[in-house]
């Protein structure tokens, strides 16, 4: 089963595409270090991949600590299914961002809304179709989302000086 390989591939592509969109919003204070767009994209991609890794590790530790059991194979297949949609959306947005005359801010807002909708649909699919023997503790899911989804976005926005 190649689900793990596809998941890693989608994560890398997702990180590179997202960093290529966010690259223009970073401050130019560090241009002496990251003097080419390629270096900026790779640095931001690395940060995004580190965030994904940390989120996965904390999710696994939290699930173990709280006694939440889940079907890892089903979760991986579901996440990969929706990662394909997110990656396709990022491909389209990246092409429109660099090769069209559309307003870039509006394009990024629409991208953000669609990525949030895809994430919500992913969670609904994961928890709706779990076998009954697995626990569904909604309180911990809300805490997880608050800690690992909302806070890093706020920190990222603060670094981007958009706030």
């Amino acid at each position: 089963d190649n689900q793990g390989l596809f998941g890693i591939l989608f994560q890398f592509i997702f990180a590179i595409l997202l960093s290529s969109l966010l690259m223009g919003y970073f401050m130019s204070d560090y241009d002496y270090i990251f003097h080419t767009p390629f270096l900026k994209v790779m640095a931001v991609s690395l940060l995004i991949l580190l965030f994904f890794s940390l989120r996965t590790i904390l999710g696994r530790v939290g699930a173990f600590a709280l006694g939440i059991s889940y079907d890892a194979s089903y979760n991986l297949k579901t996440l990969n299914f929706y990662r394909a949609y997110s990656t396709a959306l990022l491909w389209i947005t990246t092409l429109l961002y660099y090769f069209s005359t559309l307003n870039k801010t509006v394009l990024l807002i629409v991208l953000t809304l669609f990525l949030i909708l895809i994430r919500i649909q992913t969670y609904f699919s994961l928890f709706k179709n779990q076998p009954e023997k697995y626990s569904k503790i909604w309180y911990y899911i809300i805490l997880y989302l608050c800690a690992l989804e909302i806070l890093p976005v706020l920190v990222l926005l603060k670094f981007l000086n958009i706030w």
Side-chain angles (χ1 to χ4, degrees), residues 63-74:
F64 176 75
L66 299 172
I68 301 172
S69 58
Y70 59 92
D71 186 359
S73 174
Y74 173 76

Side-chain angles (χ1 to χ4, degrees), residues 68-72 130-136:
I68 301 172
S69 58
Y70 59 92
D71 186 359
Q130 286 284 350
E132 291 302 319
K133 67 179 184 175
Y134 297 110
S135 61
K136 299 176 184 178

Side-chain angles (χ1 to χ4, degrees), residues 19-31:
S19 63
S20 69
L21 289 174
L22 296 177
M23 177 189 62
Y25 291 97
F26 279 101
M27 300 176 294
S28 60
D29 296 341
Y30 302 104
D31 279 348

Side-chain angles (χ1 to χ4, degrees), residues 63-142:
F64 176 75
L66 299 172
I68 301 172
S69 58
Y70 59 92
D71 186 359
S73 174
Y74 173 76
N75 285 355
L76 185 62
K77 288 177 184 176
T78 304
L79 289 172
N80 285 345
F81 179 76
Y82 286 105
R83 275 187 198 128
Y85 285 121
S86 299
T87 305
L89 180 66
L90 274 171
W91 272 111
I92 293 168
T93 306
T94 304
L95 290 174
L96 289 174
Y97 186 85
Y98 287 107
F99 300 113
S100 75
T101 58
L102 294 173
N103 187 349
K104 295 182 183 345
T105 306
V106 172
L107 193 62
L108 290 177
I109 290 171
V110 170
L111 170 71
T112 303
L113 291 175
F114 274 113
L115 286 177
I116 289 170
L117 289 174
I118 290 171
R119 178 61 82 173
I120 289 170
Q121 181 62 34
T122 302
Y123 285 128
F124 279 140
S125 295
L126 281 175
F127 297 115
K128 179 181 141 194
N129 296 324
Q130 286 284 350
E132 291 302 319
K133 67 179 184 175
Y134 297 110
S135 61
K136 299 176 184 178
I137 303 173
W138 292 100
Y139 174 72
Y140 295 117
I141 294 168
I142 292 170

